[in-house]
Amino acid sequence: MTTVFESLSPELALDALESVGIIPDGRLFELNSYENRVYQIGLAAGGSCIAKFYRADRWSDAQIQEEHDYALALAAEDIPIAVPVIIEGHTLHKYQGYRFTLFPSLGGRAFEVDNLEQLELVGRFIGRIHQYAAQTVFTEREPLNPQILGAEPLAWLKQSNLVP
């Protein structure tokens, strides 16, 4: 069943949280996201969380779960990353045809591109992420490489006559 985002109302998003035992306080702020719908939602217990509603037909449940497992594994390696919240043993939840995940709402700031210490720290984390990924077997997600992300789309575009 394909669900369009037009029917994902603020009320439905709040109800989705309640369906997994999280009680919102009614505050909802839409965040920027290219493919999915992402909200910062206030919680009755205080603070807020991030709710990510996945676009239908983009990724399978297994692909999303593999991404969640990877994020959790990176956090276990002391790599600072926002990890999906585990509720009753699950990170991926479903409500009225929508798949969603909750994340902690973490403060942060952009690093300063002219600050060499910060650049080195970011570079180290990127290196550790790649090092861990190189030792990990991914079975569900399509690999990211120049062929898939560059050559194939370029060939399709050239053959499509969409661009003069």
PDB file of all heavy atoms in Angstrom, residues 79-118:
ATOM      1  N   ILE A  79      31.309   6.636  18.209  1.00  0.00           N
ATOM      2  CA  ILE A  79      31.197   7.652  17.163  1.00  0.00           C
ATOM      3  C   ILE A  79      29.922   8.430  17.457  1.00  0.00           C
ATOM      4  O   ILE A  79      28.844   7.837  17.574  1.00  0.00           O
ATOM      5  CB  ILE A  79      31.173   7.003  15.767  1.00  0.00           C
ATOM      6  CG1 ILE A  79      32.523   6.335  15.501  1.00  0.00           C
ATOM      7  CG2 ILE A  79      30.850   8.035  14.697  1.00  0.00           C
ATOM      8  CD1 ILE A  79      32.593   5.523  14.244  1.00  0.00           C
ATOM      9  N   PRO A  80      30.035   9.740  17.621  1.00  0.00           N
ATOM     10  CA  PRO A  80      28.845  10.526  18.006  1.00  0.00           C
ATOM     11  C   PRO A  80      27.845  10.614  16.851  1.00  0.00           C
ATOM     12  O   PRO A  80      28.093  11.247  15.833  1.00  0.00           O
ATOM     13  CB  PRO A  80      29.428  11.896  18.358  1.00  0.00           C
ATOM     14  CG  PRO A  80      30.714  11.982  17.602  1.00  0.00           C
ATOM     15  CD  PRO A  80      31.228  10.578  17.479  1.00  0.00           C
ATOM     16  N   ILE A  81      26.739   9.942  17.036  1.00  0.00           N
ATOM     17  CA  ILE A  81      25.705   9.883  16.007  1.00  0.00           C
ATOM     18  C   ILE A  81      24.352   9.785  16.699  1.00  0.00           C
ATOM     19  O   ILE A  81      24.243   9.165  17.760  1.00  0.00           O
ATOM     20  CB  ILE A  81      25.943   8.669  15.062  1.00  0.00           C
ATOM     21  CG1 ILE A  81      24.909   8.615  13.949  1.00  0.00           C
ATOM     22  CG2 ILE A  81      26.007   7.372  15.834  1.00  0.00           C
ATOM     23  CD1 ILE A  81      25.210   7.573  12.885  1.00  0.00           C
ATOM     24  N   ALA A  82      23.351  10.392  16.122  1.00  0.00           N
ATOM     25  CA  ALA A  82      21.991  10.255  16.648  1.00  0.00           C
ATOM     26  C   ALA A  82      21.483   8.884  16.232  1.00  0.00           C
ATOM     27  O   ALA A  82      21.438   8.562  15.045  1.00  0.00           O
ATOM     28  CB  ALA A  82      21.088  11.351  16.098  1.00  0.00           C
ATOM     29  N   VAL A  83      21.137   8.075  17.215  1.00  0.00           N
ATOM     30  CA  VAL A  83      20.692   6.712  16.916  1.00  0.00           C
ATOM     31  C   VAL A  83      19.183   6.607  17.086  1.00  0.00           C
ATOM     32  O   VAL A  83      18.578   7.319  17.891  1.00  0.00           O
ATOM     33  CB  VAL A  83      21.398   5.675  17.815  1.00  0.00           C
ATOM     34  CG1 VAL A  83      22.879   5.625  17.525  1.00  0.00           C
ATOM     35  CG2 VAL A  83      21.147   5.944  19.280  1.00  0.00           C
ATOM     36  N   PRO A  84      18.569   5.705  16.322  1.00  0.00           N
ATOM     37  CA  PRO A  84      17.135   5.510  16.483  1.00  0.00           C
ATOM     38  C   PRO A  84      16.810   4.994  17.877  1.00  0.00           C
ATOM     39  O   PRO A  84      17.565   4.212  18.455  1.00  0.00           O
ATOM     40  CB  PRO A  84      16.782   4.473  15.416  1.00  0.00           C
ATOM     41  CG  PRO A  84      18.054   3.952  14.892  1.00  0.00           C
ATOM     42  CD  PRO A  84      19.158   4.844  15.315  1.00  0.00           C
ATOM     43  N   VAL A  85      15.694   5.458  18.400  1.00  0.00           N
ATOM     44  CA  VAL A  85      15.244   5.038  19.730  1.00  0.00           C
ATOM     45  C   VAL A  85      14.656   3.630  19.628  1.00  0.00           C
ATOM     46  O   VAL A  85      13.852   3.347  18.738  1.00  0.00           O
ATOM     47  CB  VAL A  85      14.186   6.021  20.277  1.00  0.00           C
ATOM     48  CG1 VAL A  85      13.619   5.535  21.597  1.00  0.00           C
ATOM     49  CG2 VAL A  85      14.781   7.412  20.411  1.00  0.00           C
ATOM     50  N   ILE A  86      15.085   2.765  20.528  1.00  0.00           N
ATOM     51  CA  ILE A  86      14.574   1.396  20.565  1.00  0.00           C
ATOM     52  C   ILE A  86      13.382   1.360  21.518  1.00  0.00           C
ATOM     53  O   ILE A  86      13.498   1.714  22.692  1.00  0.00           O
ATOM     54  CB  ILE A  86      15.657   0.410  21.034  1.00  0.00           C
ATOM     55  CG1 ILE A  86      16.854   0.459  20.081  1.00  0.00           C
ATOM     56  CG2 ILE A  86      15.089  -1.007  21.129  1.00  0.00           C
ATOM     57  CD1 ILE A  86      18.072  -0.292  20.582  1.00  0.00           C
ATOM     58  N   ILE A  87      12.223   0.971  20.987  1.00  0.00           N
ATOM     59  CA  ILE A  87      10.992   0.867  21.775  1.00  0.00           C
ATOM     60  C   ILE A  87      10.479  -0.556  21.634  1.00  0.00           C
ATOM     61  O   ILE A  87      10.184  -1.001  20.520  1.00  0.00           O
ATOM     62  CB  ILE A  87       9.936   1.884  21.297  1.00  0.00           C
ATOM     63  CG1 ILE A  87      10.468   3.307  21.429  1.00  0.00           C
ATOM     64  CG2 ILE A  87       8.628   1.706  22.076  1.00  0.00           C
ATOM     65  CD1 ILE A  87       9.577   4.355  20.796  1.00  0.00           C
ATOM     66  N   GLU A  88      10.404  -1.257  22.751  1.00  0.00           N
ATOM     67  CA  GLU A  88       9.974  -2.656  22.780  1.00  0.00           C
ATOM     68  C   GLU A  88      10.742  -3.496  21.758  1.00  0.00           C
ATOM     69  O   GLU A  88      10.161  -4.310  21.035  1.00  0.00           O
ATOM     70  CB  GLU A  88       8.466  -2.757  22.571  1.00  0.00           C
ATOM     71  CG  GLU A  88       7.674  -2.117  23.707  1.00  0.00           C
ATOM     72  CD  GLU A  88       6.168  -2.324  23.578  1.00  0.00           C
ATOM     73  OE1 GLU A  88       5.736  -3.134  22.738  1.00  0.00           O
ATOM     74  OE2 GLU A  88       5.444  -1.672  24.339  1.00  0.00           O
ATOM     75  N   GLY A  89      12.059  -3.260  21.673  1.00  0.00           N
ATOM     76  CA  GLY A  89      12.923  -4.041  20.810  1.00  0.00           C
ATOM     77  C   GLY A  89      12.951  -3.641  19.354  1.00  0.00           C
ATOM     78  O   GLY A  89      13.604  -4.296  18.543  1.00  0.00           O
ATOM     79  N   HIS A  90      12.264  -2.564  19.006  1.00  0.00           N
ATOM     80  CA  HIS A  90      12.173  -2.156  17.599  1.00  0.00           C
ATOM     81  C   HIS A  90      12.575  -0.687  17.419  1.00  0.00           C
ATOM     82  O   HIS A  90      12.317   0.143  18.292  1.00  0.00           O
ATOM     83  CB  HIS A  90      10.750  -2.341  17.073  1.00  0.00           C
ATOM     84  CG  HIS A  90      10.259  -3.746  17.163  1.00  0.00           C
ATOM     85  ND1 HIS A  90      10.619  -4.726  16.273  1.00  0.00           N
ATOM     86  CD2 HIS A  90       9.449  -4.345  18.069  1.00  0.00           C
ATOM     87  CE1 HIS A  90      10.047  -5.870  16.617  1.00  0.00           C
ATOM     88  NE2 HIS A  90       9.327  -5.661  17.711  1.00  0.00           N
ATOM     89  N   THR A  91      13.172  -0.397  16.269  1.00  0.00           N
ATOM     90  CA  THR A  91      13.479   0.985  15.907  1.00  0.00           C
ATOM     91  C   THR A  91      12.559   1.483  14.797  1.00  0.00           C
ATOM     92  O   THR A  91      12.390   2.684  14.637  1.00  0.00           O
ATOM     93  CB  THR A  91      14.940   1.127  15.437  1.00  0.00           C
ATOM     94  OG1 THR A  91      15.168   0.238  14.336  1.00  0.00           O
ATOM     95  CG2 THR A  91      15.906   0.818  16.562  1.00  0.00           C
ATOM     96  N   LEU A  92      11.985   0.586  14.026  1.00  0.00           N
ATOM     97  CA  LEU A  92      11.076   0.949  12.938  1.00  0.00           C
ATOM     98  C   LEU A  92       9.659   0.603  13.357  1.00  0.00           C
ATOM     99  O   LEU A  92       9.383  -0.530  13.766  1.00  0.00           O
ATOM    100  CB  LEU A  92      11.451   0.205  11.652  1.00  0.00           C
ATOM    101  CG  LEU A  92      10.606   0.517  10.420  1.00  0.00           C
ATOM    102  CD1 LEU A  92      10.721   1.997  10.037  1.00  0.00           C
ATOM    103  CD2 LEU A  92      11.031  -0.365   9.250  1.00  0.00           C
ATOM    104  N   HIS A  93       8.776   1.578  13.252  1.00  0.00           N
ATOM    105  CA  HIS A  93       7.392   1.411  13.701  1.00  0.00           C
ATOM    106  C   HIS A  93       6.443   1.733  12.551  1.00  0.00           C
ATOM    107  O   HIS A  93       6.808   2.431  11.604  1.00  0.00           O
ATOM    108  CB  HIS A  93       7.111   2.325  14.895  1.00  0.00           C
ATOM    109  CG  HIS A  93       8.159   2.200  15.951  1.00  0.00           C
ATOM    110  ND1 HIS A  93       8.214   1.136  16.826  1.00  0.00           N
ATOM    111  CD2 HIS A  93       9.223   2.980  16.243  1.00  0.00           C
ATOM    112  CE1 HIS A  93       9.254   1.279  17.622  1.00  0.00           C
ATOM    113  NE2 HIS A  93       9.885   2.393  17.291  1.00  0.00           N
ATOM    114  N   LYS A  94       5.218   1.244  12.659  1.00  0.00           N
ATOM    115  CA  LYS A  94       4.206   1.473  11.621  1.00  0.00           C
ATOM    116  C   LYS A  94       2.927   1.999  12.260  1.00  0.00           C
ATOM    117  O   LYS A  94       2.537   1.551  13.339  1.00  0.00           O
ATOM    118  CB  LYS A  94       3.930   0.186  10.861  1.00  0.00           C
ATOM    119  CG  LYS A  94       5.156  -0.307  10.112  1.00  0.00           C
ATOM    120  CD  LYS A  94       4.892  -1.591   9.380  1.00  0.00           C
ATOM    121  CE  LYS A  94       6.196  -2.032   8.712  1.00  0.00           C
ATOM    122  NZ  LYS A  94       6.061  -3.290   8.022  1.00  0.00           N
ATOM    123  N   TYR A  95       2.325   2.952  11.542  1.00  0.00           N
ATOM    124  CA  TYR A  95       1.058   3.502  12.007  1.00  0.00           C
ATOM    125  C   TYR A  95       0.265   3.979  10.798  1.00  0.00           C
ATOM    126  O   TYR A  95       0.738   4.823  10.027  1.00  0.00           O
ATOM    127  CB  TYR A  95       1.281   4.663  12.980  1.00  0.00           C
ATOM    128  CG  TYR A  95       0.007   5.223  13.547  1.00  0.00           C
ATOM    129  CD1 TYR A  95      -0.699   4.532  14.534  1.00  0.00           C
ATOM    130  CD2 TYR A  95      -0.505   6.419  13.083  1.00  0.00           C
ATOM    131  CE1 TYR A  95      -1.886   5.031  15.046  1.00  0.00           C
ATOM    132  CE2 TYR A  95      -1.694   6.935  13.596  1.00  0.00           C
ATOM    133  CZ  TYR A  95      -2.380   6.241  14.571  1.00  0.00           C
ATOM    134  OH  TYR A  95      -3.553   6.730  15.076  1.00  0.00           O
ATOM    135  N   GLN A  96      -0.901   3.427  10.609  1.00  0.00           N
ATOM    136  CA  GLN A  96      -1.828   3.795   9.531  1.00  0.00           C
ATOM    137  C   GLN A  96      -1.127   3.895   8.175  1.00  0.00           C
ATOM    138  O   GLN A  96      -1.312   4.853   7.424  1.00  0.00           O
ATOM    139  CB  GLN A  96      -2.555   5.091   9.866  1.00  0.00           C
ATOM    140  CG  GLN A  96      -3.497   4.940  11.036  1.00  0.00           C
ATOM    141  CD  GLN A  96      -4.432   6.112  11.207  1.00  0.00           C
ATOM    142  OE1 GLN A  96      -4.486   7.019  10.380  1.00  0.00           O
ATOM    143  NE2 GLN A  96      -5.172   6.107  12.308  1.00  0.00           N
ATOM    144  N   GLY A  97      -0.326   2.903   7.851  1.00  0.00           N
ATOM    145  CA  GLY A  97       0.340   2.837   6.553  1.00  0.00           C
ATOM    146  C   GLY A  97       1.661   3.572   6.474  1.00  0.00           C
ATOM    147  O   GLY A  97       2.338   3.496   5.453  1.00  0.00           O
ATOM    148  N   TYR A  98       2.036   4.274   7.518  1.00  0.00           N
ATOM    149  CA  TYR A  98       3.306   5.005   7.537  1.00  0.00           C
ATOM    150  C   TYR A  98       4.333   4.244   8.361  1.00  0.00           C
ATOM    151  O   TYR A  98       4.004   3.665   9.391  1.00  0.00           O
ATOM    152  CB  TYR A  98       3.127   6.402   8.136  1.00  0.00           C
ATOM    153  CG  TYR A  98       2.351   7.328   7.251  1.00  0.00           C
ATOM    154  CD1 TYR A  98       0.998   7.543   7.461  1.00  0.00           C
ATOM    155  CD2 TYR A  98       2.974   7.987   6.195  1.00  0.00           C
ATOM    156  CE1 TYR A  98       0.277   8.385   6.641  1.00  0.00           C
ATOM    157  CE2 TYR A  98       2.265   8.837   5.370  1.00  0.00           C
ATOM    158  CZ  TYR A  98       0.915   9.028   5.594  1.00  0.00           C
ATOM    159  OH  TYR A  98       0.201   9.864   4.777  1.00  0.00           O
ATOM    160  N   ARG A  99       5.568   4.287   7.903  1.00  0.00           N
ATOM    161  CA  ARG A  99       6.680   3.748   8.678  1.00  0.00           C
ATOM    162  C   ARG A  99       7.420   4.938   9.284  1.00  0.00           C
ATOM    163  O   ARG A  99       7.660   5.934   8.603  1.00  0.00           O
ATOM    164  CB  ARG A  99       7.620   2.948   7.779  1.00  0.00           C
ATOM    165  CG  ARG A  99       6.924   1.732   7.171  1.00  0.00           C
ATOM    166  CD  ARG A  99       7.783   1.042   6.163  1.00  0.00           C
ATOM    167  NE  ARG A  99       8.125   1.973   5.088  1.00  0.00           N
ATOM    168  CZ  ARG A  99       9.105   1.772   4.215  1.00  0.00           C
ATOM    169  NH1 ARG A  99       9.841   0.698   4.264  1.00  0.00           N
ATOM    170  NH2 ARG A  99       9.339   2.654   3.265  1.00  0.00           N
ATOM    171  N   PHE A 100       7.781   4.811  10.556  1.00  0.00           N
ATOM    172  CA  PHE A 100       8.450   5.930  11.202  1.00  0.00           C
ATOM    173  C   PHE A 100       9.439   5.440  12.241  1.00  0.00           C
ATOM    174  O   PHE A 100       9.378   4.304  12.713  1.00  0.00           O
ATOM    175  CB  PHE A 100       7.436   6.905  11.831  1.00  0.00           C
ATOM    176  CG  PHE A 100       6.711   6.365  13.035  1.00  0.00           C
ATOM    177  CD1 PHE A 100       7.125   6.695  14.323  1.00  0.00           C
ATOM    178  CD2 PHE A 100       5.608   5.543  12.882  1.00  0.00           C
ATOM    179  CE1 PHE A 100       6.450   6.204  15.431  1.00  0.00           C
ATOM    180  CE2 PHE A 100       4.922   5.046  13.987  1.00  0.00           C
ATOM    181  CZ  PHE A 100       5.342   5.379  15.263  1.00  0.00           C
ATOM    182  N   THR A 101      10.355   6.336  12.564  1.00  0.00           N
ATOM    183  CA  THR A 101      11.390   6.082  13.563  1.00  0.00           C
ATOM    184  C   THR A 101      11.516   7.324  14.421  1.00  0.00           C
ATOM    185  O   THR A 101      11.350   8.442  13.928  1.00  0.00           O
ATOM    186  CB  THR A 101      12.736   5.795  12.863  1.00  0.00           C
ATOM    187  OG1 THR A 101      12.587   4.618  12.074  1.00  0.00           O
ATOM    188  CG2 THR A 101      13.853   5.591  13.853  1.00  0.00           C
ATOM    189  N   LEU A 102      11.842   7.129  15.681  1.00  0.00           N
ATOM    190  CA  LEU A 102      12.075   8.246  16.592  1.00  0.00           C
ATOM    191  C   LEU A 102      13.567   8.338  16.908  1.00  0.00           C
ATOM    192  O   LEU A 102      14.250   7.323  17.026  1.00  0.00           O
ATOM    193  CB  LEU A 102      11.283   8.060  17.878  1.00  0.00           C
ATOM    194  CG  LEU A 102       9.776   7.927  17.692  1.00  0.00           C
ATOM    195  CD1 LEU A 102       9.104   7.700  19.035  1.00  0.00           C
ATOM    196  CD2 LEU A 102       9.210   9.136  17.003  1.00  0.00           C
ATOM    197  N   PHE A 103      14.040   9.554  17.020  1.00  0.00           N
ATOM    198  CA  PHE A 103      15.419   9.841  17.381  1.00  0.00           C
ATOM    199  C   PHE A 103      15.411  10.835  18.535  1.00  0.00           C
ATOM    200  O   PHE A 103      14.486  11.651  18.652  1.00  0.00           O
ATOM    201  CB  PHE A 103      16.176  10.471  16.201  1.00  0.00           C
ATOM    202  CG  PHE A 103      16.371   9.557  15.034  1.00  0.00           C
ATOM    203  CD1 PHE A 103      15.412   9.452  14.047  1.00  0.00           C
ATOM    204  CD2 PHE A 103      17.529   8.801  14.923  1.00  0.00           C
ATOM    205  CE1 PHE A 103      15.587   8.612  12.956  1.00  0.00           C
ATOM    206  CE2 PHE A 103      17.723   7.959  13.837  1.00  0.00           C
ATOM    207  CZ  PHE A 103      16.747   7.861  12.860  1.00  0.00           C
ATOM    208  N   PRO A 104      16.456  10.820  19.343  1.00  0.00           N
ATOM    209  CA  PRO A 104      16.551  11.870  20.360  1.00  0.00           C
ATOM    210  C   PRO A 104      16.770  13.214  19.666  1.00  0.00           C
ATOM    211  O   PRO A 104      17.370  13.277  18.592  1.00  0.00           O
ATOM    212  CB  PRO A 104      17.770  11.463  21.190  1.00  0.00           C
ATOM    213  CG  PRO A 104      18.566  10.582  20.297  1.00  0.00           C
ATOM    214  CD  PRO A 104      17.593   9.908  19.369  1.00  0.00           C
ATOM    215  N   SER A 105      16.272  14.253  20.257  1.00  0.00           N
ATOM    216  CA  SER A 105      16.517  15.600  19.740  1.00  0.00           C
ATOM    217  C   SER A 105      17.808  16.096  20.393  1.00  0.00           C
ATOM    218  O   SER A 105      17.848  16.342  21.595  1.00  0.00           O
ATOM    219  CB  SER A 105      15.347  16.522  20.086  1.00  0.00           C
ATOM    220  OG  SER A 105      15.557  17.799  19.542  1.00  0.00           O
ATOM    221  N   LEU A 106      18.852  16.178  19.593  1.00  0.00           N
ATOM    222  CA  LEU A 106      20.167  16.538  20.107  1.00  0.00           C
ATOM    223  C   LEU A 106      20.552  17.930  19.645  1.00  0.00           C
ATOM    224  O   LEU A 106      20.375  18.266  18.475  1.00  0.00           O
ATOM    225  CB  LEU A 106      21.227  15.537  19.619  1.00  0.00           C
ATOM    226  CG  LEU A 106      20.961  14.077  19.959  1.00  0.00           C
ATOM    227  CD1 LEU A 106      22.001  13.180  19.284  1.00  0.00           C
ATOM    228  CD2 LEU A 106      20.988  13.878  21.462  1.00  0.00           C
ATOM    229  N   GLY A 107      21.092  18.702  20.546  1.00  0.00           N
ATOM    230  CA  GLY A 107      21.599  20.011  20.170  1.00  0.00           C
ATOM    231  C   GLY A 107      22.902  19.854  19.402  1.00  0.00           C
ATOM    232  O   GLY A 107      23.567  18.828  19.460  1.00  0.00           O
ATOM    233  N   GLY A 108      23.254  20.854  18.697  1.00  0.00           N
ATOM    234  CA  GLY A 108      24.509  20.804  17.945  1.00  0.00           C
ATOM    235  C   GLY A 108      24.774  22.146  17.307  1.00  0.00           C
ATOM    236  O   GLY A 108      24.023  23.108  17.478  1.00  0.00           O
ATOM    237  N   ARG A 109      25.858  22.180  16.593  1.00  0.00           N
ATOM    238  CA  ARG A 109      26.202  23.393  15.857  1.00  0.00           C
ATOM    239  C   ARG A 109      27.052  23.001  14.684  1.00  0.00           C
ATOM    240  O   ARG A 109      27.683  21.940  14.666  1.00  0.00           O
ATOM    241  CB  ARG A 109      26.934  24.374  16.750  1.00  0.00           C
ATOM    242  CG  ARG A 109      28.230  23.830  17.335  1.00  0.00           C
ATOM    243  CD  ARG A 109      28.890  24.861  18.249  1.00  0.00           C
ATOM    244  NE  ARG A 109      29.996  24.291  18.976  1.00  0.00           N
ATOM    245  CZ  ARG A 109      31.222  24.164  18.481  1.00  0.00           C
ATOM    246  NH1 ARG A 109      31.491  24.560  17.271  1.00  0.00           N
ATOM    247  NH2 ARG A 109      32.185  23.613  19.216  1.00  0.00           N
ATOM    248  N   ALA A 110      27.075  23.839  13.700  1.00  0.00           N
ATOM    249  CA  ALA A 110      27.934  23.602  12.545  1.00  0.00           C
ATOM    250  C   ALA A 110      29.383  23.817  12.957  1.00  0.00           C
ATOM    251  O   ALA A 110      29.686  24.697  13.765  1.00  0.00           O
ATOM    252  CB  ALA A 110      27.567  24.547  11.407  1.00  0.00           C
ATOM    253  N   PHE A 111      30.257  22.987  12.415  1.00  0.00           N
ATOM    254  CA  PHE A 111      31.657  23.198  12.747  1.00  0.00           C
ATOM    255  C   PHE A 111      32.197  24.368  11.928  1.00  0.00           C
ATOM    256  O   PHE A 111      31.632  24.748  10.903  1.00  0.00           O
ATOM    257  CB  PHE A 111      32.478  21.921  12.553  1.00  0.00           C
ATOM    258  CG  PHE A 111      32.594  21.458  11.131  1.00  0.00           C
ATOM    259  CD1 PHE A 111      33.662  21.847  10.343  1.00  0.00           C
ATOM    260  CD2 PHE A 111      31.648  20.611  10.576  1.00  0.00           C
ATOM    261  CE1 PHE A 111      33.778  21.421   9.034  1.00  0.00           C
ATOM    262  CE2 PHE A 111      31.749  20.183   9.277  1.00  0.00           C
ATOM    263  CZ  PHE A 111      32.820  20.585   8.498  1.00  0.00           C
ATOM    264  N   GLU A 112      33.263  24.927  12.391  1.00  0.00           N
ATOM    265  CA  GLU A 112      33.865  26.090  11.737  1.00  0.00           C
ATOM    266  C   GLU A 112      34.868  25.594  10.701  1.00  0.00           C
ATOM    267  O   GLU A 112      35.883  24.997  11.042  1.00  0.00           O
ATOM    268  CB  GLU A 112      34.549  26.965  12.783  1.00  0.00           C
ATOM    269  CG  GLU A 112      33.604  27.438  13.872  1.00  0.00           C
ATOM    270  CD  GLU A 112      34.337  27.987  15.090  1.00  0.00           C
ATOM    271  OE1 GLU A 112      35.529  28.336  14.988  1.00  0.00           O
ATOM    272  OE2 GLU A 112      33.709  28.048  16.153  1.00  0.00           O
ATOM    273  N   VAL A 113      34.600  25.866   9.419  1.00  0.00           N
ATOM    274  CA  VAL A 113      35.427  25.317   8.347  1.00  0.00           C
ATOM    275  C   VAL A 113      36.849  25.870   8.344  1.00  0.00           C
ATOM    276  O   VAL A 113      37.735  25.285   7.728  1.00  0.00           O
ATOM    277  CB  VAL A 113      34.779  25.531   6.964  1.00  0.00           C
ATOM    278  CG1 VAL A 113      33.480  24.749   6.864  1.00  0.00           C
ATOM    279  CG2 VAL A 113      34.548  27.007   6.681  1.00  0.00           C
ATOM    280  N   ASP A 114      37.083  26.963   9.043  1.00  0.00           N
ATOM    281  CA  ASP A 114      38.439  27.497   9.113  1.00  0.00           C
ATOM    282  C   ASP A 114      39.148  27.124  10.418  1.00  0.00           C
ATOM    283  O   ASP A 114      40.249  27.576  10.691  1.00  0.00           O
ATOM    284  CB  ASP A 114      38.435  29.013   8.921  1.00  0.00           C
ATOM    285  CG  ASP A 114      37.614  29.746   9.975  1.00  0.00           C
ATOM    286  OD1 ASP A 114      36.824  29.076  10.681  1.00  0.00           O
ATOM    287  OD2 ASP A 114      37.756  30.969  10.079  1.00  0.00           O
ATOM    288  N   ASN A 115      38.536  26.272  11.214  1.00  0.00           N
ATOM    289  CA  ASN A 115      39.114  25.833  12.479  1.00  0.00           C
ATOM    290  C   ASN A 115      39.779  24.469  12.245  1.00  0.00           C
ATOM    291  O   ASN A 115      39.105  23.447  12.125  1.00  0.00           O
ATOM    292  CB  ASN A 115      38.023  25.727  13.545  1.00  0.00           C
ATOM    293  CG  ASN A 115      38.554  25.344  14.902  1.00  0.00           C
ATOM    294  OD1 ASN A 115      39.455  24.527  15.024  1.00  0.00           O
ATOM    295  ND2 ASN A 115      37.960  25.924  15.926  1.00  0.00           N
ATOM    296  N   LEU A 116      41.091  24.462  12.156  1.00  0.00           N
ATOM    297  CA  LEU A 116      41.811  23.239  11.813  1.00  0.00           C
ATOM    298  C   LEU A 116      41.621  22.123  12.838  1.00  0.00           C
ATOM    299  O   LEU A 116      41.584  20.946  12.464  1.00  0.00           O
ATOM    300  CB  LEU A 116      43.300  23.545  11.615  1.00  0.00           C
ATOM    301  CG  LEU A 116      43.623  24.475  10.435  1.00  0.00           C
ATOM    302  CD1 LEU A 116      45.126  24.692  10.316  1.00  0.00           C
ATOM    303  CD2 LEU A 116      43.051  23.919   9.139  1.00  0.00           C
ATOM    304  N   GLU A 117      41.490  22.461  14.112  1.00  0.00           N
ATOM    305  CA  GLU A 117      41.246  21.424  15.123  1.00  0.00           C
ATOM    306  C   GLU A 117      39.904  20.735  14.895  1.00  0.00           C
ATOM    307  O   GLU A 117      39.799  19.508  14.996  1.00  0.00           O
ATOM    308  CB  GLU A 117      41.304  22.029  16.524  1.00  0.00           C
ATOM    309  CG  GLU A 117      42.703  22.410  16.982  1.00  0.00           C
ATOM    310  CD  GLU A 117      42.712  22.993  18.386  1.00  0.00           C
ATOM    311  OE1 GLU A 117      41.849  22.610  19.204  1.00  0.00           O
ATOM    312  OE2 GLU A 117      43.584  23.832  18.656  1.00  0.00           O
ATOM    313  N   GLN A 118      38.880  21.535  14.587  1.00  0.00           N
ATOM    314  CA  GLN A 118      37.566  20.948  14.319  1.00  0.00           C
ATOM    315  C   GLN A 118      37.593  20.114  13.036  1.00  0.00           C
ATOM    316  O   GLN A 118      37.013  19.032  12.981  1.00  0.00           O
ATOM    317  CB  GLN A 118      36.496  22.031  14.221  1.00  0.00           C
ATOM    318  CG  GLN A 118      36.114  22.610  15.554  1.00  0.00           C
ATOM    319  CD  GLN A 118      34.973  23.609  15.433  1.00  0.00           C
ATOM    320  OE1 GLN A 118      34.404  23.803  14.377  1.00  0.00           O
ATOM    321  NE2 GLN A 118      34.642  24.237  16.552  1.00  0.00           N
TER     322      GLN A 118
END
